[in-house]
Amino acid sequence: MAVETVASAVSASTDFGPAVALSCRECGERFPLGPIFACEACFGPLEVAYEFPSGDPEGLRRRIEAGPTSIWRYAPLLPVPADVAGKPNLNPGFTKLVKADRLARELGVTGGLYVKDDSGNPTHSFKDRVVAIAVEAARNFGLTTLSCSSTGNLAGAVGAAAVRAGFRSCVFIPHDLEAGKVVMAAVYGGELVGIEGTYDDVNRFCSELIGDPIGEGWGFTNVNLRPYYGEGSKTLAYEICEQLGWRLPDNIVIPIASGSQLTKIDKGLQELVKLGLVEDKPYRIYGAQAEGCSPVSTAFKAGHDVVRPQKPNTIAKSLAIGNPADGPYVLDIARRTGGAVEDVNDEQIVDAIKLLARTEGIFAETAGGVTIGVLRKLIETGQLDPADETVAINTGDGLKTLDAVAPTTGPTAIIRPTLDSFREAGLA
Amino acid sequence: MAVETVASAVSASTDFGPAVALSCRECGERFPLGPIFACEACFGPLEVAYEFPSGDPEGLRRRIEAGPTSIWRYAPLLPVPADVAGKPNLNPGFTKLVKADRLARELGVTGGLYVKDDSGNPTHSFKDRVVAIAVEAARNFGLTTLSCSSTGNLAGAVGAAAVRAGFRSCVFIPHDLEAGKVVMAAVYGGELVGIEGTYDDVNRFCSELIGDPIGEGWGFTNVNLRPYYGEGSKTLAYEICEQLGWRLPDNIVIPIASGSQLTKIDKGLQELVKLGLVEDKPYRIYGAQAEGCSPVSTAFKAGHDVVRPQKPNTIAKSLAIGNPADGPYVLDIARRTGGAVEDVNDEQIVDAIKLLARTEGIFAETAGGVTIGVLRKLIETGQLDPADETVAINTGDGLKTLDAVAPTTGPTAIIRPTLDSFREAGLA
């Protein structure tokens, strides 16, 4: 297969920092680092395995704290070379951890509530984190074209990252995407190809392209670079703990699309404990889905280990993956840590977007509404203890999903430009 | 007058850090710090006067570098209390200074080119900087309602900042604003009042409100809090110089709306020199306008000292102030430093937005297109030396002005989901 040839050809001369291999999450089989994503033995998903330096947590902590204000401060824990910050890239991450006291009061949280606000990333979603790691892998493998299938956010993140890093990009989207999302995907000037078909058709086409000679030299962030790409989400765990003063929170509420972000945040927390960067203590991981695409929460509530695919129908389009690849791992983690997976409907999503905006001045995209809505529901149903310290993740910016709140968000009053008119409106 | 009574009542017990008075830019008359904006003697605009600590630039530099990664690292140089970072606010600033090597190559800049990217602020425009200072002034004066007249960006910045800082907000916009901008202004849940009239009508109404008893306790960021508000723009100068390694660039290109940002950046640079934080050397300040609203560049080119008002007609709506308050000061600064003021038309604005996106992965709003377009024109016309080191400021995010690029930004191709169709499109 074309991509595997590339992999074995380049893996000897590359620099992935502390990463030493890819290992199968199912059978544990190991493979050299390369642009591959599935186990040859069992077809299980591959993930990056590391050999971390050990024995000097204080030194490592100081090294991180002296690093750049981006994900690259954690280069010693990522599959990237030590000098990664010097290479041209978007420098995402190290976004704000907002102490959300007003939201806490509204929700009755007494143990401390934080919002990790990833709308502060360069293209305003957490995708900049994962794409940045995929780009470094593509550089290592000598790939020349960055690609992905996308319904919007990822296309923009890949387009922007490719430009800065000096790659050609060619991104695939369903042809009937909303105009605004097309602009965000197209404005960076790479090739943007509309596919006559659904998002599933786009994905199938991309898989075909990877197996074809045309696809040689191509890095699909969410396919053949997926093992690297996914590691970017670990940085959310690192940042949350560092920003709390190098300690674990009690609870983290995380939105679920493929489930990869949630599983990698858990991986990141475990690494911090193993490296002695934070003290070990119990923590709970909660997953958040939209009711209109809730395969994982449905399985969680039914006590199932497998996730039955659903046909998505929700305003939270960035979470609308009906057959989430990491669903079973999410179930494991929620159960192991004593967390839960919950869902909210579209009306609750919109309400939660507005709640976060009017309490904390953070305008979240629909995925953020899912997280905050689920947080509220978890508290109301007694699944999350309000006396605990909780972190909720906002993965993207409200400017990307204006349509979700537009119908119910408008002026308080329309008046003539006179004081009398102002008084009559009851606003004085 | 109601607001002045408030001012004299509170000015004794307030903490404005190093700020000691308001002084008239025209006649030099001094007034106690208060929510006033015009000189009682000559009606000139007031600005903040400071008594800075002197004699230990190295100590001040270290104190700044050890500070928070927001504008509050410069608290010793702003009209705010020393403990400002501990008060609830949006913590704007310390945005990325992007080394723009690819853009430099396209433009023929050989001396080094940087884009100061203020789209990274909490509500994605530089307005978060100025509003944050106005909010602290409002806190100091015991005001309870934050307000402004706005065509969009400022409304959102005020709405979000008010929420976080615990103020009521009541913001005024023309009633016929685009739906997207209304959402951004309304989502934070404060009062949003649509005024049946133009932006000028909105401004006149706000002035009336300030003079009326209804307006007691109200802080209009861009009216009675304007002297404080404007100081926020100084932080752009501080950040640029610190991020360059505590030195002045040769040139800075700055968009002009009221002209306040440009004059305050110059003020900030002068302060850094006086305090010994950077070495003195010549620098040039360039102003950027849209041709459809170019009162300052028209006056500059004609060699006039006064600015004749224009009726704006440009896609760069956030710069569309036909009668810019600081226009004459801008002319002074451009001439004194050996810079210039230039303008570009709507087509050149759109081209420049796309140029910045495809070279640096930065998606700017129309104001950013004006700045980059003018930079290109300044080089082409020999007004800016490409062998100099230049910084261009992007003041806002492209997601806010999608309509500007939408008509000319789309997919490269629409294909069927087959390799043959991909090959036929000439993309393989």
Side-chain angles (χ1 to χ4, degrees), chain B residues 40-209:
Chain B
E40 281 177 20
C42 77
F43 298 104
L46 301 180
E47 70 174 345
V48 177
Y50 299 89
E51 274 173 21
F52 291 130
S54 64
D56 182 17
E58 202 44 62
L60 180 54
R61 203 181 288 149
R62 273 198 307 273
R63 184 174 156 195
I64 290 169
E65 288 172 350
T69 53
S70 71
I71 59 170
W72 304 133
R73 66 201 281 113
Y74 308 106
L77 307 179
L78 296 169
V80 296
D83 65 348
V84 62
K87 297 174 191 287
N89 75 88
L90 293 176
N91 294 301
F94 216 61
T95 55
K96 291 181 166 66
L97 182 71
V98 176
K99 185 97 193 312
D101 292 340
R102 283 166 190 272
L103 178 60
R105 276 200 290 280
E106 291 251 0
L107 297 180
V109 173
T110 56
L113 179 61
Y114 295 84
V115 175
K116 178 63 175 170
D117 186 12
D118 245 20
S119 68
N121 276 313
T123 72
H124 307 313
S125 89
F126 93 99
K127 293 286 185 192
D128 292 324
R129 296 177 185 273
V130 285
V131 168
I133 310 286
V135 166
E136 294 314 312
R139 228 194 287 262
N140 254 324
F141 295 134
L143 305 176
T144 50
T145 298
L146 287 179
S147 186
C148 68
S149 53
S150 172
T151 57
N153 276 353
L154 181 57
V158 168
V163 156
R164 188 74 65 82
F167 285 79
R168 173 179 181 250
S169 73
C170 183
V171 163
F172 300 94
I173 56 171
H175 75 295
D176 56 356
L177 224 54
E178 306 95 299
K181 290 207 172 162
V182 172
V183 171
M184 291 182 224
V187 74
Y188 301 104
E191 310 284 0
L192 178 74
V193 179
I195 298 279
E196 288 171 353
T198 66
Y199 180 62
D200 286 335
D201 294 324
V202 178
N203 270 324
R204 268 193 296 275
F205 172 73
C206 287
S207 299
E208 215 182 327
L209 196 53

Side-chain angles (χ1 to χ4, degrees), chain A residues 62-137:
Chain A
R62 272 198 306 274
R63 184 175 156 193
I64 291 170
E65 287 172 351
T69 52
S70 72
I71 60 171
W72 304 132
R73 65 202 283 113
Y74 307 106
L77 308 178
L78 295 169
V80 296
D83 64 350
V84 63
K87 297 173 190 287
N89 74 88
L90 293 177
N91 294 301
F94 215 60
T95 55
K96 291 180 166 69
L97 182 70
V98 176
K99 185 96 195 307
D101 291 339
R102 283 165 190 273
L103 178 61
R105 275 199 291 278
E106 290 251 0
L107 298 180
V109 173
T110 55
L113 178 62
Y114 296 84
V115 174
K116 178 65 174 169
D117 186 13
D118 245 19
S119 67
N121 276 312
T123 72
H124 308 312
S125 87
F126 93 100
K127 293 286 184 193
D128 292 323
R129 297 176 184 272
V130 286
V131 168
I133 310 285
V135 166
E136 294 314 311

